[in-house]
Amino acid sequence: PDTEAKKAFVMFTKAIIVAAMVGAAQAACPNSCSGHGTCGSNEVCQCFDGWGMNGQAGGDCSDRFCPFELAWVDAPTSTGARHQYAECAAKGVCDRETGECTCFGGFEGKACGRQTCPDSCSGHGTCEYMNELVFGTVFNEYYDGSTDALRKLGVGGINPATSYHWDSDRARSCVCDSGWSGINCASRMCPYGNDVMDLRANTGVAAVSQVQTITLLSGGTTGGQAVNPQPTLADFVGNSFSLTFTSKMNETFTTVPIELASADAAGLTDIAADIDAALQNLPNKVISGGKDGDSGEEGGVKVTALSIAHSASLIIQVTFTGSSVHGKQNLLEVDANSCGTGCMPRLDGLEYVLVTGINATTSASTKLAQGTESSVKETTPADYNSYECGRRGKCDYDTGICSCFEGYTGEACTTLTALI
Protein backbone atom coordinates (compact mmCIF):
# COMPACT_ATOMS: atom_id res chain seq x y z
CA PRO A 1 0.00 0.00 0.00
CA ASP A 2 2.81 2.40 0.80
CA THR A 3 4.33 1.68 -2.56
CA GLU A 4 1.09 2.36 -4.36
CA ALA A 5 0.64 5.58 -2.44
CA LYS A 6 4.14 6.68 -3.33
CA LYS A 7 3.51 6.01 -7.04
CA ALA A 8 0.27 7.95 -6.95
CA PHE A 9 2.00 10.85 -5.20
CA VAL A 10 4.78 10.94 -7.78
CA MET A 11 2.32 10.93 -10.69
CA PHE A 12 0.27 13.67 -9.09
CA THR A 13 3.38 15.75 -8.55
CA LYS A 14 4.43 15.33 -12.17
CA ALA A 15 1.02 16.37 -13.39
CA ILE A 16 1.16 19.53 -11.29
CA ILE A 17 4.63 20.34 -12.63
CA VAL A 18 3.56 19.83 -16.27
CA ALA A 19 0.48 21.96 -15.77
CA ALA A 20 2.59 24.66 -14.19
CA MET A 21 5.03 24.55 -17.10
CA VAL A 22 2.23 24.83 -19.64
CA GLY A 23 0.74 27.74 -17.76
CA ALA A 24 4.12 29.41 -17.57
CA ALA A 25 4.65 28.95 -21.29
CA GLN A 26 1.24 30.41 -22.08
CA ALA A 27 1.89 33.33 -19.84
CA ALA A 28 5.33 33.95 -21.40
CA CYS A 29 4.17 35.06 -24.91
CA PRO A 30 0.64 35.94 -26.06
CA ASN A 31 -1.16 32.97 -27.58
CA SER A 32 2.17 31.19 -27.85
CA CYS A 33 2.83 33.47 -30.86
CA SER A 34 -0.06 31.69 -32.64
CA GLY A 35 2.39 29.13 -33.94
CA HIS A 36 3.87 31.71 -36.32
CA GLY A 37 6.83 32.88 -34.30
CA THR A 38 9.17 32.21 -31.40
CA CYS A 39 8.93 33.59 -27.91
CA GLY A 40 11.84 35.90 -27.24
CA SER A 41 13.08 37.83 -24.26
CA ASN A 42 10.70 40.00 -22.30
CA GLU A 43 7.86 37.79 -23.48
CA VAL A 44 7.85 39.36 -26.97
CA CYS A 45 7.05 37.25 -30.03
CA GLN A 46 9.57 37.18 -32.84
CA CYS A 47 7.17 36.53 -35.73
CA PHE A 48 8.11 34.55 -38.81
CA ASP A 49 8.33 36.46 -42.11
CA GLY A 50 4.94 37.59 -43.31
CA TRP A 51 3.30 37.47 -39.89
CA GLY A 52 2.50 40.13 -37.29
CA MET A 53 -0.57 41.72 -35.81
CA ASN A 54 -2.73 44.44 -37.33
CA GLY A 55 -0.05 45.29 -39.84
CA GLN A 56 2.65 45.70 -37.20
CA ALA A 57 5.55 43.48 -36.20
CA GLY A 58 5.18 41.45 -33.03
CA GLY A 59 1.95 41.03 -31.11
CA ASP A 60 0.74 37.46 -31.16
CA CYS A 61 1.76 36.82 -34.80
CA SER A 62 -1.83 35.99 -35.70
CA ASP A 63 -2.18 38.22 -38.78
CA ARG A 64 -0.60 38.06 -42.20
CA PHE A 65 1.15 40.92 -43.95
CA CYS A 66 0.24 41.72 -47.57
CA PRO A 67 2.72 42.46 -50.38
CA PHE A 68 4.36 45.89 -50.49
CA GLU A 69 4.84 48.10 -53.55
CA LEU A 70 5.75 51.72 -54.23
CA ALA A 71 2.84 53.81 -53.01
CA TRP A 72 0.82 55.56 -55.70
CA VAL A 73 0.24 58.52 -53.37
CA ASP A 74 1.81 59.28 -50.02
CA ALA A 75 3.00 62.15 -47.87
CA PRO A 76 6.64 63.19 -48.27
CA THR A 77 9.37 62.18 -45.89
CA SER A 78 11.41 64.78 -44.03
CA THR A 79 13.77 64.86 -47.01
CA GLY A 80 10.95 65.30 -49.50
CA ALA A 81 11.03 61.75 -50.83
CA ARG A 82 7.78 60.32 -52.13
CA HIS A 83 6.42 56.99 -53.30
CA GLN A 84 7.81 54.94 -50.43
CA TYR A 85 6.95 51.27 -50.18
CA ALA A 86 3.48 50.67 -48.75
CA GLU A 87 1.32 47.65 -48.16
CA CYS A 88 -0.94 47.13 -51.18
CA ALA A 89 0.71 50.25 -52.67
CA ALA A 90 -1.74 52.30 -50.56
CA LYS A 91 -4.43 51.46 -53.10
CA GLY A 92 -6.00 48.45 -51.45
CA VAL A 93 -6.99 46.83 -48.16
CA CYS A 94 -5.09 43.88 -46.73
CA ASP A 95 -7.00 40.72 -45.81
CA ARG A 96 -5.08 39.68 -42.68
CA GLU A 97 -6.37 36.13 -42.82
CA THR A 98 -5.17 35.38 -46.36
CA GLY A 99 -2.40 37.95 -46.81
CA GLU A 100 -3.96 39.12 -50.07
CA CYS A 101 -4.75 42.66 -51.15
CA THR A 102 -8.26 43.68 -52.07
CA CYS A 103 -7.50 46.47 -54.54
CA PHE A 104 -9.60 49.56 -55.03
CA GLY A 105 -11.21 50.16 -58.42
CA GLY A 106 -8.69 50.95 -61.15
CA PHE A 107 -5.84 48.95 -59.60
CA GLU A 108 -4.82 45.32 -59.74
CA GLY A 109 -1.94 42.95 -59.09
CA LYS A 110 -0.79 41.14 -55.97
CA ALA A 111 0.20 44.45 -54.37
CA CYS A 112 -2.20 46.69 -56.35
CA GLY A 113 0.94 47.84 -58.13
CA ARG A 114 -0.46 48.38 -61.60
CA GLN A 115 -3.37 50.27 -63.06
CA THR A 116 -6.21 48.62 -64.90
CA CYS A 117 -7.41 50.00 -68.22
CA PRO A 118 -10.88 51.55 -68.39
CA ASP A 119 -13.52 48.94 -69.24
CA SER A 120 -10.70 46.56 -70.23
CA CYS A 121 -10.44 48.63 -73.42
CA SER A 122 -13.98 47.46 -74.31
CA GLY A 123 -12.57 44.44 -76.10
CA HIS A 124 -11.28 46.69 -78.90
CA GLY A 125 -7.72 47.36 -77.81
CA THR A 126 -4.81 46.28 -75.67
CA CYS A 127 -3.81 47.55 -72.25
CA GLU A 128 -0.21 48.79 -72.45
CA TYR A 129 2.28 50.03 -69.87
CA MET A 130 3.43 53.62 -70.24
CA ASN A 131 6.94 52.52 -71.25
CA GLU A 132 5.40 50.48 -74.07
CA LEU A 133 3.55 53.41 -75.63
CA VAL A 134 5.08 54.84 -78.80
CA PHE A 135 5.23 58.17 -80.58
CA GLY A 136 3.26 58.42 -83.77
CA THR A 137 1.10 56.05 -85.76
CA VAL A 138 3.78 55.20 -88.32
CA PHE A 139 7.57 54.99 -88.22
CA ASN A 140 8.14 57.98 -90.47
CA GLU A 141 6.03 60.27 -88.33
CA TYR A 142 9.18 60.58 -86.23
CA TYR A 143 11.80 59.76 -88.87
CA ASP A 144 10.22 62.20 -91.32
CA GLY A 145 13.34 62.89 -93.36
CA SER A 146 13.42 66.55 -92.33
CA THR A 147 17.08 66.33 -91.27
CA ASP A 148 19.94 63.90 -91.87
CA ALA A 149 19.45 62.52 -88.35
CA LEU A 150 15.80 61.77 -89.13
CA ARG A 151 16.40 59.74 -92.29
CA LYS A 152 15.64 56.08 -91.63
CA LEU A 153 13.31 53.29 -92.72
CA GLY A 154 11.12 51.14 -90.52
CA VAL A 155 7.59 50.11 -89.61
CA GLY A 156 5.44 51.13 -86.63
CA GLY A 157 5.60 53.93 -84.08
CA ILE A 158 8.80 54.37 -82.09
CA ASN A 159 9.84 55.16 -78.55
CA PRO A 160 12.33 58.03 -78.88
CA ALA A 161 13.76 57.63 -75.37
CA THR A 162 13.67 55.24 -72.45
CA SER A 163 11.29 56.32 -69.72
CA TYR A 164 12.70 56.24 -66.20
CA HIS A 165 9.60 57.60 -64.50
CA TRP A 166 8.75 55.71 -61.33
CA ASP A 167 5.42 54.56 -62.77
CA SER A 168 6.56 53.82 -66.34
CA ASP A 169 6.02 50.09 -65.80
CA ARG A 170 2.88 50.50 -63.67
CA ALA A 171 0.64 53.14 -65.27
CA ARG A 172 -1.29 51.79 -68.25
CA SER A 173 -3.41 53.02 -71.12
CA CYS A 174 -5.53 51.55 -73.89
CA VAL A 175 -4.08 51.25 -77.39
CA CYS A 176 -7.12 50.89 -79.62
CA ASP A 177 -7.54 48.51 -82.53
CA SER A 178 -7.96 50.02 -85.98
CA GLY A 179 -11.36 51.61 -86.44
CA TRP A 180 -11.80 52.32 -82.72
CA SER A 181 -10.95 55.33 -80.57
CA GLY A 182 -11.48 56.87 -77.15
CA ILE A 183 -9.93 56.42 -73.71
CA ASN A 184 -11.65 53.03 -73.40
CA CYS A 185 -11.71 52.18 -77.15
CA ALA A 186 -15.51 52.16 -77.10
CA SER A 187 -16.08 54.61 -79.96
CA ARG A 188 -16.05 53.60 -83.61
CA MET A 189 -14.17 55.87 -85.98
CA CYS A 190 -15.90 57.49 -88.95
CA PRO A 191 -14.38 58.10 -92.39
CA TYR A 192 -12.32 61.21 -93.07
CA GLY A 193 -12.65 63.40 -96.13
CA ASN A 194 -12.21 66.82 -97.65
CA ASP A 195 -14.69 69.57 -96.72
CA VAL A 196 -16.41 70.01 -100.07
CA MET A 197 -17.27 73.65 -99.28
CA ASP A 198 -13.72 74.61 -98.31
CA LEU A 199 -12.59 76.07 -101.63
CA ARG A 200 -9.41 77.90 -102.61
CA ALA A 201 -9.71 81.59 -103.43
CA ASN A 202 -8.93 80.98 -107.11
CA THR A 203 -10.90 77.91 -108.18
CA GLY A 204 -9.21 78.07 -111.56
CA VAL A 205 -5.98 76.84 -110.01
CA ALA A 206 -5.70 73.07 -109.83
CA ALA A 207 -5.82 71.48 -106.41
CA VAL A 208 -2.53 70.28 -104.96
CA SER A 209 -2.35 66.69 -103.76
CA GLN A 210 0.08 65.39 -101.19
CA VAL A 211 3.30 63.96 -102.61
CA GLN A 212 5.40 61.54 -100.60
CA THR A 213 8.92 60.76 -101.76
CA ILE A 214 10.66 57.49 -100.92
CA THR A 215 14.41 57.72 -101.40
CA LEU A 216 16.28 54.41 -101.34
CA LEU A 217 20.07 54.69 -101.40
CA SER A 218 22.38 51.79 -102.11
CA GLY A 219 25.61 51.38 -100.23
CA GLY A 220 26.88 48.59 -102.48
CA THR A 221 28.64 45.55 -101.06
CA THR A 222 30.25 47.60 -98.28
CA GLY A 223 27.17 49.55 -97.21
CA GLY A 224 28.76 52.73 -98.50
CA GLN A 225 31.65 52.62 -96.08
CA ALA A 226 34.30 52.33 -98.78
CA VAL A 227 34.98 54.50 -101.83
CA ASN A 228 35.17 51.48 -104.15
CA PRO A 229 33.41 49.55 -105.49
CA GLN A 230 30.89 52.25 -106.34
CA PRO A 231 27.26 51.33 -105.64
CA THR A 232 24.83 51.60 -108.53
CA LEU A 233 21.12 51.40 -109.25
CA ALA A 234 21.70 47.80 -110.30
CA ASP A 235 22.17 46.90 -106.62
CA PHE A 236 18.36 47.03 -106.24
CA VAL A 237 17.58 44.63 -109.08
CA GLY A 238 15.91 41.43 -107.89
CA ASN A 239 15.61 42.50 -104.24
CA SER A 240 11.95 42.75 -103.30
CA PHE A 241 10.39 45.01 -100.68
CA SER A 242 6.85 46.10 -99.83
CA LEU A 243 5.06 49.25 -98.74
CA THR A 244 2.70 49.65 -95.79
CA PHE A 245 -0.07 52.24 -95.82
CA THR A 246 -1.92 53.24 -92.64
CA SER A 247 -5.26 54.95 -93.18
CA LYS A 248 -6.76 57.75 -91.10
CA MET A 249 -8.85 55.00 -89.45
CA ASN A 250 -5.56 53.41 -88.29
CA GLU A 251 -6.09 50.44 -90.60
CA THR A 252 -2.79 49.00 -91.80
CA PHE A 253 -2.41 47.54 -95.30
CA THR A 254 0.72 46.02 -96.86
CA THR A 255 1.29 45.66 -100.60
CA VAL A 256 2.45 42.64 -102.54
CA PRO A 257 6.24 42.37 -103.06
CA ILE A 258 7.77 45.05 -105.29
CA GLU A 259 11.13 44.89 -107.02
CA LEU A 260 13.18 46.62 -109.69
CA ALA A 261 13.48 44.36 -112.74
CA SER A 262 16.24 46.26 -114.55
CA ALA A 263 18.52 49.21 -113.88
CA ASP A 264 17.34 51.35 -116.78
CA ALA A 265 14.50 53.65 -117.81
CA ALA A 266 12.25 50.71 -118.63
CA GLY A 267 12.84 49.23 -115.19
CA LEU A 268 11.96 52.52 -113.52
CA THR A 269 8.76 52.78 -115.57
CA ASP A 270 7.79 49.23 -114.67
CA ILE A 271 8.38 49.58 -110.94
CA ALA A 272 6.33 52.81 -110.89
CA ALA A 273 3.45 50.97 -112.54
CA ASP A 274 3.82 48.05 -110.12
CA ILE A 275 3.70 50.35 -107.08
CA ASP A 276 0.72 52.23 -108.50
CA ALA A 277 -1.20 48.97 -108.97
CA ALA A 278 -0.10 47.55 -105.60
CA LEU A 279 -1.36 50.59 -103.70
CA GLN A 280 -4.65 50.86 -105.59
CA ASN A 281 -5.30 47.14 -105.12
CA LEU A 282 -5.15 47.38 -101.32
CA PRO A 283 -8.37 46.07 -99.69
CA ASN A 284 -11.49 48.08 -98.88
CA LYS A 285 -10.70 50.65 -101.61
CA VAL A 286 -8.58 52.40 -99.00
CA ILE A 287 -6.78 54.26 -101.80
CA SER A 288 -9.34 55.04 -104.46
CA GLY A 289 -11.30 57.73 -106.31
CA GLY A 290 -10.12 60.55 -108.50
CA LYS A 291 -8.57 60.52 -111.95
CA ASP A 292 -5.14 59.43 -113.09
CA GLY A 293 -3.63 62.55 -114.63
CA ASP A 294 -2.03 60.68 -117.56
CA SER A 295 -4.56 58.05 -118.54
CA GLY A 296 -7.76 59.66 -117.27
CA GLU A 297 -8.68 56.38 -115.60
CA GLU A 298 -9.97 56.09 -112.09
CA GLY A 299 -7.16 55.92 -109.60
CA GLY A 300 -6.17 56.85 -106.07
CA VAL A 301 -2.47 57.53 -106.61
CA LYS A 302 0.02 58.47 -109.28
CA VAL A 303 3.52 57.01 -109.01
CA THR A 304 6.75 57.96 -110.71
CA ALA A 305 10.22 56.49 -110.26
CA LEU A 306 13.59 57.95 -111.10
CA SER A 307 17.25 57.74 -110.22
CA ILE A 308 19.80 60.55 -109.92
CA ALA A 309 22.97 59.81 -111.84
CA HIS A 310 26.01 58.70 -109.81
CA SER A 311 23.99 58.49 -106.60
CA ALA A 312 22.81 54.85 -106.70
CA SER A 313 19.38 56.10 -105.75
CA LEU A 314 15.94 54.67 -106.39
CA ILE A 315 13.48 57.52 -105.88
CA ILE A 316 9.75 56.82 -105.79
CA GLN A 317 7.25 59.68 -105.79
CA VAL A 318 3.68 58.84 -104.75
CA THR A 319 0.97 61.47 -105.35
CA PHE A 320 -2.28 60.85 -103.44
CA THR A 321 -4.96 61.96 -105.89
CA GLY A 322 -7.95 59.87 -104.80
CA SER A 323 -10.98 61.16 -102.93
CA SER A 324 -10.37 58.59 -100.19
CA VAL A 325 -6.92 60.03 -99.53
CA HIS A 326 -7.51 63.78 -99.70
CA GLY A 327 -5.42 65.92 -97.38
CA LYS A 328 -2.47 64.92 -95.23
CA GLN A 329 -2.00 61.15 -95.07
CA ASN A 330 0.23 59.01 -92.88
CA LEU A 331 3.63 58.55 -94.50
CA LEU A 332 4.19 55.26 -96.26
CA GLU A 333 6.47 52.75 -94.57
CA VAL A 334 9.05 50.66 -96.41
CA ASP A 335 9.27 47.01 -95.37
CA ALA A 336 12.96 46.62 -96.22
CA ASN A 337 13.92 43.58 -94.13
CA SER A 338 14.06 40.13 -95.67
CA CYS A 339 11.32 37.75 -94.63
CA GLY A 340 11.38 34.16 -95.86
CA THR A 341 9.27 31.05 -95.47
CA GLY A 342 6.10 31.65 -93.48
CA CYS A 343 6.06 35.41 -94.05
CA MET A 344 3.36 37.33 -95.84
CA PRO A 345 4.47 38.92 -98.01
CA ARG A 346 7.67 36.97 -98.59
CA LEU A 347 10.51 39.46 -99.24
CA ASP A 348 14.11 39.28 -100.41
CA GLY A 349 14.73 42.50 -98.49
CA LEU A 350 17.00 45.50 -98.91
CA GLU A 351 18.91 45.42 -95.62
CA TYR A 352 22.09 44.29 -97.40
CA VAL A 353 21.65 46.88 -100.14
CA LEU A 354 20.79 50.13 -98.38
CA VAL A 355 23.52 52.51 -97.30
CA THR A 356 24.86 52.09 -93.77
CA GLY A 357 27.84 54.46 -93.69
CA ILE A 358 29.56 57.56 -95.07
CA ASN A 359 32.35 57.64 -97.63
CA ALA A 360 34.26 60.14 -99.70
CA THR A 361 31.68 60.19 -102.50
CA THR A 362 29.02 61.91 -100.38
CA SER A 363 27.56 64.88 -102.23
CA ALA A 364 26.86 67.81 -99.96
CA SER A 365 24.80 69.49 -102.69
CA THR A 366 22.31 66.70 -103.41
CA LYS A 367 22.53 64.78 -100.13
CA LEU A 368 21.55 61.76 -102.18
CA ALA A 369 24.87 59.98 -102.29
CA GLN A 370 26.12 57.19 -100.06
CA GLY A 371 26.52 59.37 -97.00
CA THR A 372 22.80 59.84 -96.47
CA GLU A 373 20.43 57.18 -95.19
CA SER A 374 17.24 56.28 -97.02
CA SER A 375 14.07 58.14 -96.10
CA VAL A 376 10.35 58.72 -96.58
CA LYS A 377 9.18 62.32 -96.47
CA GLU A 378 6.36 64.61 -97.53
CA THR A 379 7.74 66.71 -100.38
CA THR A 380 4.48 68.45 -101.37
CA PRO A 381 1.77 69.19 -98.78
CA ALA A 382 -1.82 68.88 -99.93
CA ASP A 383 -4.03 71.93 -100.02
CA TYR A 384 -6.97 69.63 -99.48
CA ASN A 385 -8.02 69.08 -95.88
CA SER A 386 -9.11 65.96 -94.07
CA TYR A 387 -11.89 66.02 -91.47
CA GLU A 388 -14.05 63.45 -89.77
CA CYS A 389 -17.21 63.16 -91.88
CA GLY A 390 -15.76 65.92 -94.06
CA ARG A 391 -16.83 68.43 -91.43
CA ARG A 392 -20.25 68.23 -93.07
CA GLY A 393 -21.76 65.53 -90.91
CA LYS A 394 -21.77 64.04 -87.43
CA CYS A 395 -20.16 60.75 -86.54
CA ASP A 396 -22.27 58.09 -84.86
CA TYR A 397 -19.66 56.57 -82.57
CA ASP A 398 -21.82 53.49 -82.00
CA THR A 399 -21.92 52.53 -85.68
CA GLY A 400 -19.01 54.42 -87.22
CA ILE A 401 -21.35 55.89 -89.83
CA CYS A 402 -21.53 59.59 -90.73
CA SER A 403 -24.91 61.28 -90.44
CA CYS A 404 -24.54 63.95 -93.10
CA PHE A 405 -26.04 67.38 -92.75
CA GLU A 406 -28.78 68.40 -95.17
CA GLY A 407 -27.39 68.95 -98.64
CA TYR A 408 -24.48 66.53 -98.26
CA THR A 409 -24.07 62.83 -98.85
CA GLY A 410 -21.43 60.14 -99.23
CA GLU A 411 -19.49 57.92 -96.89
CA ALA A 412 -17.61 60.93 -95.50
CA CYS A 413 -20.22 63.56 -96.49
CA THR A 414 -17.94 64.82 -99.26
CA THR A 415 -20.59 65.06 -101.97
CA LEU A 416 -22.74 68.14 -102.35
CA THR A 417 -26.37 67.40 -103.27
CA ALA A 418 -27.87 70.88 -103.03
CA LEU A 419 -26.98 74.48 -102.33
CA ILE A 420 -28.62 75.55 -99.07
Side-chain angles (χ1 to χ4, degrees):
D2 292 341
T3 301
E4 292 297 326
K6 288 180 179 179
K7 288 182 178 179
F9 177 77
V10 170
M11 292 179 63
F12 178 73
T13 303
K14 288 182 177 179
I16 292 175
I17 293 172
V18 170
M21 291 176 63
V22 171
Q26 290 180 339
C29 276
N31 295 330
S32 298
C33 302
S34 305
H36 302 304
T38 59
C39 190
S41 60
N42 298 322
E43 301 179 358
V44 175
C45 288
Q46 302 296 319
C47 301
F48 300 148
D49 288 346
W51 293 90
M53 188 174 71
N54 296 326
Q56 303 294 324
D60 64 354
C61 306
S62 59
D63 295 332
R64 288 182 180 272
F65 280 104
C66 282
F68 280 63
E69 252 293 1
L70 296 177
W72 289 95
V73 179
D74 60 4
T77 65
S78 60
T79 60
R82 297 180 184 272
H83 303 297
Q84 304 299 300
Y85 278 94
E87 200 171 34
C88 301
K91 286 297 179 181
V93 177
C94 181
D95 185 328
R96 298 296 174 195
E97 291 186 4
T98 64
E100 296 179 350
C101 293
T102 301
C103 301
F104 302 147
F107 300 90
E108 64 180 16
K110 69 177 184 178
C112 309
R114 64 175 180 266
Q115 289 180 338
T116 61
C117 277
D119 300 328
S120 298
C121 302
S122 306
H124 302 302
T126 57
C127 191
E128 307 288 344
Y129 291 102
M130 186 164 62
N131 60 8
E132 296 173 330
L133 301 179
V134 297
F135 170 82
T137 303
V138 298
F139 185 85
N140 295 108
E141 195 167 340
Y142 181 81
Y143 288 103
D144 60 3
S146 58
T147 66
D148 284 350
L150 296 177
R151 298 176 190 272
K152 198 179 290 288
L153 302 180
V155 177
I158 72 156
N159 196 333
T162 301
S163 173
Y164 294 103
H165 294 87
W166 75 274
D167 58 348
S168 62
D169 59 352
R170 305 177 68 197
R172 298 199 291 175
S173 174
C174 289
V175 176
C176 299
D177 298 335
S178 60
W180 295 87
S181 64
I183 296 298
N184 59 350
C185 302
S187 299
R188 286 186 178 273
M189 299 178 71
C190 281
Y192 281 67
N194 182 60
D195 182 351
V196 69
M197 294 298 290
D198 190 1
L199 301 177
R200 58 191 52 78
N202 184 356
T203 56
V205 177
V208 178
S209 298
Q210 184 193 43
V211 179
Q212 298 183 19
T213 299
I214 302 169
T215 303
L216 304 177
L217 299 170
S218 171
T221 56
T222 65
Q225 299 183 51
V227 176
N228 290 302
Q230 289 290 335
T232 67
L233 179 63
D235 297 335
F236 292 102
V237 174
N239 293 297
S240 60
F241 61 95
S242 63
L243 299 176
T244 294
F245 174 74
T246 302
S247 73
K248 299 295 284 287
M249 304 270 287
N250 293 330
E251 301 164 310
T252 299
F253 303 91
T254 299
T255 67
V256 296
I258 300 162
E259 66 179 68
L260 182 68
S262 59
D264 52 23
L268 293 172
T269 300
D270 288 343
I271 195 173
D274 290 345
I275 294 172
D276 190 298
L279 289 173
Q280 295 191 61
N281 286 332
L282 292 175
N284 302 341
K285 296 183 178 180
V286 67
I287 298 179
S288 61
K291 295 282 187 180
D292 186 299
D294 294 329
S295 66
E297 297 177 354
E298 292 291 332
V301 291
K302 178 182 177 182
V303 181
T304 58
L306 62 144
S307 180
I308 294 179
H310 310 300
S311 68
S313 60
L314 174 57
I315 301 174
I316 301 161
Q317 295 176 331
V318 181
T319 304
F320 288 87
T321 60
S323 57
S324 68
V325 285
H326 276 163
K328 185 178 179 63
Q329 301 298 310
N330 290 314
L331 291 175
L332 292 165
E333 296 171 299
V334 180
D335 305 298
N337 292 330
S338 58
C339 199
T341 303
C343 285
M344 184 62 68
R346 187 170 177 175
L347 304 174
D348 300 313
L350 300 175
E351 66 261 51
Y352 302 115
V353 175
L354 299 176
V355 66
T356 60
I358 297 175
N359 63 37
T361 65
T362 299
S363 170
S365 60
T366 64
K367 287 189 177 292
L368 287 176
Q370 294 91 310
T372 303
E373 288 198 64
S374 302
S375 64
V376 180
K377 63 184 299 185
E378 180 186 65
T379 47
T380 302
D383 62 1
Y384 285 106
N385 51 53
S386 185
Y387 297 109
E388 183 181 69
C389 298
R391 202 166 61 176
R392 297 294 165 175
K394 188 172 183 179
C395 179
D396 184 331
Y397 294 117
D398 289 329
T399 64
I401 297 175
C402 292
S403 177
C404 300
F405 302 146
E406 186 177 358
Y408 303 90
T409 188
E411 187 179 62
C413 307
T414 55
T415 302
L416 185 66
T417 61
L419 291 175
I420 305 301

